[in-house]
Amino acid sequence: AGFVRFFDVYGVYQYEPFTPNPIAPNKTIFVDYNNPLAGEFDPLSVAMDGTVTRDADAIRSSVSVMGVNLLTWQILGATNTNTAAIYENRLNIWQPSTAGFLGYDNAAVFLDSQFSNQDYANQAVDRMMEVYSTPEIDSSYTTWFDPFQFPGNWLAVSDARSGLFDIPSGQFLPLLIMSVTHNIQNGQPPRTTIAGRYLPGSSISL
């Protein structure tokens, strides 16, 4: 959840709340077109090239929030600790408790008046840990020319080696399309490069 900023068709600047709700991907790219799990698919969805990167800078070993109860003026707080980030050397996006390994303590503390209710503070740290226990996952895949892709659509990639597809569960990591680049040159087939980012806490099955 967050906000999206844009200019509308009248040139007026807009600042609107935005909560992605992945129900089904707008496009599915198949890295291995011989993959039997792919079933019947559009051959134009086969990837020509692609990369997946993970950035562990955002991973936190614990998340704490502190605020003040507006009725009693008592200080309240909540903490969620991810010991797997310190002690367990496993990087498996499909096991949320061990999604990112740091090997050292890297805590995050938020002080804000919005944490004025204990139940809200507890829910906040749980959701924050869902995000901060996962590395930032970005992808860029080139496929055949597809003029129907736009930023804000959802993308699924059948690529088990990169971790974007989990064979046992049949689940995909939904990628929010961040940018789309079309490459059309004389003497070469037109191509489309789609850059996506994984939003922690979401998954889809096809």
Side-chain angles (χ1 to χ4, degrees):
F3 291 86
V4 59
R5 298 175 294 176
F6 63 95
F7 289 93
D8 61 21
V9 294
Y10 301 104
V12 178
Y13 179 75
Q14 300 287 343
Y15 186 81
E16 300 292 341
F18 175 70
T19 303
N21 183 22
I23 299 176
N26 181 266
K27 182 178 180 66
T28 302
I29 292 178
F30 297 97
V31 174
D32 182 5
Y33 58 86
N34 290 319
N35 184 347
L37 295 178
E40 297 182 2
F41 60 88
D42 184 358
L44 297 182
S45 294
V46 176
M48 299 177 180
D49 190 14
T51 60
V52 177
T53 59
R54 287 173 170 81
D55 187 354
D57 288 345
I59 295 178
R60 295 291 184 265
S61 58
S62 67
V63 176
S64 300
V65 300
M66 295 185 64
V68 177
N69 189 311
L70 297 180
L71 298 178
T72 64
W73 290 99
Q74 293 181 338
I75 297 177
L76 59 84
T79 300
N80 189 318
T81 302
N82 177 24
T83 58
I86 307 175
Y87 304 110
E88 297 187 34
N89 188 8
R90 289 186 292 172
L91 183 61
N92 186 349
I93 188 63
W94 302 104
Q95 298 180 21
S97 63
T98 59
F101 174 73
L102 289 176
Y104 57 89
D105 190 16
N106 188 23
V109 179
F110 295 88
L111 305 177
D112 200 299
S113 59
Q114 67 174 307
F115 303 116
S116 59
N117 178 277
Q118 188 64 56
D119 291 337
Y120 176 75
N122 294 338
Q123 295 176 14
V125 293
D126 290 342
R127 177 56 181 146
M128 287 180 182
M129 182 53 72
E130 211 176 337
V131 175
Y132 286 118
S133 64
T134 305
E136 291 183 353
I137 301 177
D138 293 291
S139 70
S140 177
Y141 282 93
T142 299
T143 184
W144 295 96
F145 178 68
D146 190 344
F148 301 105
Q149 301 308 314
F150 303 94
N153 288 342
W154 289 96
L155 173 70
V157 181
S158 178
D159 185 3
R161 290 182 297 178
S162 69
L164 297 182
F165 174 61
D166 183 54
I167 294 178
S169 66
Q171 288 188 326
F172 295 81
L173 291 186
L175 302 171
L176 182 66
I177 296 179
M178 308 299 292
S179 67
V180 179
T181 304
H182 303 296
N183 188 357
I184 302 176
Q185 298 181 1
N186 290 332
Q188 296 184 4
R191 302 181 179 186
T192 297
T193 299
I194 305 174
R197 168 166 291 189
Y198 169 63
L199 299 185
S202 53
S203 63
I204 50 178
S205 300
L206 299 181

